[in-house]
Amino acid sequence: MTATAHARPRSLSGIQATSDSLHLGNYIGALQQFVAQQETSDAWYFIANMHAITVPQDPAKLRERTLLTAAQFIAAGVDPERSVLFVQSQVDAHPKLGWIMECVASEGEARRMTQFKDKSAKNEQVSLGLLTYPALMAADILLYQADVVPVGEDQRQHLELTRNLAERFNKRFGHTFTVPEPGIVKETAKIYDLQDPTAKMSKSAQSPAGLVGILDEPKAIAKKFKSAVTDDGTEVAFDREAKPGVSNLLTIYSSLAGVDMATAVEHFEGKMYGHLKGELADLAVETLAPVRERTLELLADRAELTRILAAGAQRAAEVADPTVAAAYERVGFL
Ligand code: TRP
């Protein structure tokens, strides 16, 4: 089997399961798009638990977070009937093609990755897996002949490397892989910390008050919005430089309300910052409370959740296994 043209573009993305609750930045930046993409694409999503162990993880926590992350995907609207939802470690083709990609990539290329440089500077012990991480990521993508890979700006360099590896392999061994396009999530979908609106919302936030978890209790969500940092002046306007706090709140509002920025700004014309915070608190609770409830329901029936993931892994293997077989054949494995 070689690269095929799909009737609908095939979109594939992965997310690491390294926290209990996804946060609002993941929800708006990734999950909302994943859900929307089911309408227009042949959508494939997976939990990158093999990438997670490139830095030390507690085994019990990793297992729990893998299930929790999958549950949050489904609760947010990723429909395992329409999309293929699976766990990376449950599809053996990933490390198999990952190894081949490690041998197609050069050490120098891997060392040039800014994520490797950042993470290796932060950790005392640097695993070999942290260096070869992008080769496994390339395998994740190429196994499925993905046309487009929706990821954040921070993954652009890895995607560029994936494209290079696909082209290099195809040239050396014959056409085998689709060269994927990056589907970089637009800047407007970038969500900042509610307490420090110049820093990206992230699980390593300085203060938990700045980070909104999908699984936070509704009361906690409302409180975080009501105590969000705003800016000098009184006018609700979008201006990332002069008004980072208000601009972030407007971005969140426009994403959750499903309206464009001009409409969001107009909606709050002549209103005070407090009004924006209050209305946004209500909207966020209204949006996230059902996701939280559905996640808890899914987690109450782990056998069913496990079954859904096993079925996803099986569907994934049906596509990934023939790709690996083709790559094995091409490189000369018996
Ligand atoms: N590296 C990605 C991240 O940390 C996760 C990931 C792993 C991924 N494999 C992938 C994303 C394949 C897209 C496609 O966000």
Side-chain angles (χ1 to χ4, degrees):
M1 205 203 74
T2 53
T4 45
H6 310 292
R8 298 201 298 172
R10 180 167 290 172
S11 162
L12 172 137
S13 194
I15 190 160
Q16 293 199 42
T18 46
S19 57
D20 291 337
S21 177
L22 295 172
H23 58 69
L24 189 63
N26 301 131
Y27 182 79
I28 291 172
L31 276 176
Q32 275 196 329
Q33 332 246 352
F34 291 176
V35 172
Q37 247 156 19
Q38 299 180 123
E39 306 297 330
T40 52
S41 324
D42 171 24
W44 296 61
Y45 303 117
F46 68 96
I47 318 292
N49 59 342
M50 300 183 79
H51 279 104
I53 66 161
T54 54
V55 296
Q57 301 293 336
D58 173 80
K61 273 197 187 138
L62 179 62
R63 195 171 291 123
E64 183 65 14
R65 287 170 170 177
T66 303
L67 282 177
L68 261 165
T69 305
Q72 289 170 84
F73 267 55
I74 299 169
V78 170
D79 175 356
E81 299 289 322
R82 297 169 70 199
S83 298
V84 184
L85 177 65
F86 64 99
V87 175
Q88 188 184 29
S89 66
Q90 294 189 322
V91 183
D92 293 342
H94 290 251
K96 288 181 168 177
L97 188 63
W99 176 253
I100 293 180
M101 288 300 140
E102 284 182 39
C103 298
V104 173
S106 76
E107 184 209 348
E109 272 173 326
R111 287 197 191 281
R112 278 198 292 279
M113 296 292 116
T114 54
Q115 183 179 291
F116 173 72
K117 289 191 215 167
D118 291 349
K119 287 197 185 175
S120 58
K122 267 190 230 148
N123 290 290
E124 243 168 70
Q125 294 267 3
V126 176
S127 73
L128 195 49
L130 196 62
L131 179 63
T132 60
Y133 179 118
L136 179 60
M137 180 161 162
D140 296 338
I141 297 165
L142 303 180
L143 279 172
Y144 302 96
Q145 313 290 5
D147 298 301
V148 50
V149 183
V151 285
E153 184 60 44
D154 63 324
Q155 297 297 315
R156 186 191 286 277
Q157 199 185 21
H158 288 154
L159 217 60
E160 213 36 62
L161 180 60
T162 300
R163 289 169 54 85
N164 289 339
L165 298 180
E167 278 163 3
R168 192 175 306 160
F169 187 102
N170 286 346
K171 213 165 141 217
R172 200 179 289 171
F173 300 106
H175 191 77
T176 310
F177 300 118
T178 300
V179 180
E181 295 296 330
I184 303 292
V185 167
K186 50 189 186 313
E187 173 63 23
T188 49
K190 196 159 162 189
I191 306 304
Y192 296 84
D193 189 294
L194 296 187
Q195 290 299 316
D196 174 9
T198 56
K200 197 176 145 187
M201 185 175 283
S202 125
K203 64 178 191 299
S204 46
Q206 291 289 335
S207 141
L211 176 70
V212 177
I214 294 186
L215 302 182
D216 282 356
E217 301 232 11
K219 264 195 211 131
I221 294 179
K223 189 159 170 230
K224 286 176 188 178
F225 276 103
K226 286 180 182 154
S227 49
V229 164
T230 45
D231 315 289
D232 290 346
T234 53
E235 192 201 350
V236 175
F238 185 84
D239 181 340
R240 275 250 201 261
E241 296 288 304
K243 297 195 173 211
V246 169
S247 301
N248 187 38
L249 297 178
L250 282 169
T251 304
I252 297 171
Y253 180 86
S254 87
S255 301
L256 296 185
V259 299
D260 62 20
M261 186 55 76
T263 309
V265 171
E266 199 182 323
H267 181 77
F268 291 106
E269 208 182 292
K271 307 247 169 78
M272 311 279 257
Y273 291 165
H275 182 98
L276 166 63
K277 292 203 260 185
E279 200 172 312
L280 186 49
D282 291 344
L283 178 60
V285 166
E286 210 176 282
T287 310
L288 296 180
V291 178
R292 175 175 191 271
E293 270 164 42
R294 181 85 186 101
T295 303
L296 298 179
E297 270 169 34
L298 286 159
L299 286 170
D301 187 354
R302 294 190 178 218
E304 170 66 2
L305 192 53
T306 306
R307 194 198 58 72
I308 291 172
L309 293 173
Q314 197 176 340
R315 284 170 69 195
E318 281 165 19
V319 171
D321 288 349
T323 312
V324 162
Y328 269 34
E329 162 80 26
R330 295 265 152 91
V331 301
F333 289 171
L334 276 186

